[in-house]
Amino acid sequence: EQLVARAAAAGLASVVHAIGDAAVSLALDVLGRAPRSGLAMPHRIEHVQCCAPDRLADAGRSGIVCSVQPSHLLSDWQAADRHWGARARHAYAFRSLAAGGATLAFGSDAPVEPVDPRLSLFAAVTRQDTEGKPVGGWYPEERIDVSDALVAFTRGPAIAAGMDRELGRLEPGTLGDIAVWDRDPLAVPASELPAMRCTATIVGGQLVWRDA
């Protein structure tokens, strides 16, 4: 807590890596009490993989960004059930965190997981692994829809980086960083999200790659 306060006094936001309900609660306590004014970006918790149910709204109340990686769910849901038991109900709790007002910033955690964002979209929307397990989704009440997942992959990281005015939206005055897919992720069945192909990328308004 002293280090976080010292950093904030120097204008630096803190990022805390937290997996497990005790670690997440400690991070919420420390960052929730830390100064926020004068910082170029918000405080952030990486992973937030298991959060006590009575703490799910605390990140939103304190303006703490939750940097989460849905692709972890693909390989970890069975281990979470095995080691966390009933507490796994509040693991990877994307919908509950968002409902509590938290900004979700999606990422891949590469190289631990593949950098491919399609896998995270699939995991966030279905809460199943690539073999379709578990049937019906793992704690399906924590699923989010594709539009919210896309916001978490675009505007969420821009907010986390303190660059919400320049990045994360397709509007006049923003930097125009765009990935073009061959299909509309808002229209394809969730099971087909991993099969979408990137056909072009635009960086700073300039076409830098296209599928020949």
Side-chain angles (χ1 to χ4, degrees), residues 31-110:
L31 296 182
R33 290 192 290 264
R36 286 184 279 170
S37 62
L39 303 180
M41 62 188 69
H43 299 300
R44 185 168 90 242
I45 301 176
E46 285 291 324
H47 304 313
V48 201
Q49 279 188 6
C50 185
C51 184
D54 60 340
R55 307 302 305 271
L56 285 164
D58 288 357
R61 281 194 287 263
S62 298
I64 300 168
V65 169
C66 294
S67 176
V68 294
Q69 300 79 25
S71 57
H72 281 302
L73 185 150
L74 298 171
S75 56
D76 290 0
W77 70 267
Q78 294 183 71
D81 274 347
R82 188 162 57 249
H83 295 290
W84 284 338
R87 290 181 296 167
R89 162 63 185 85
H90 301 289
Y92 311 91
F94 311 131
R95 178 176 289 277
S96 293
L97 289 168
T103 294
L104 301 182
F106 278 2
S108 67
D109 205 31

Side-chain angles (χ1 to χ4, degrees), residues 180-197:
V180 182
W181 283 328
D182 66 335
R183 303 172 69 187
D184 182 355
L186 298 175
V188 303
S191 61
E192 297 179 20
L193 287 170
M196 296 185 303
R197 289 189 309 105

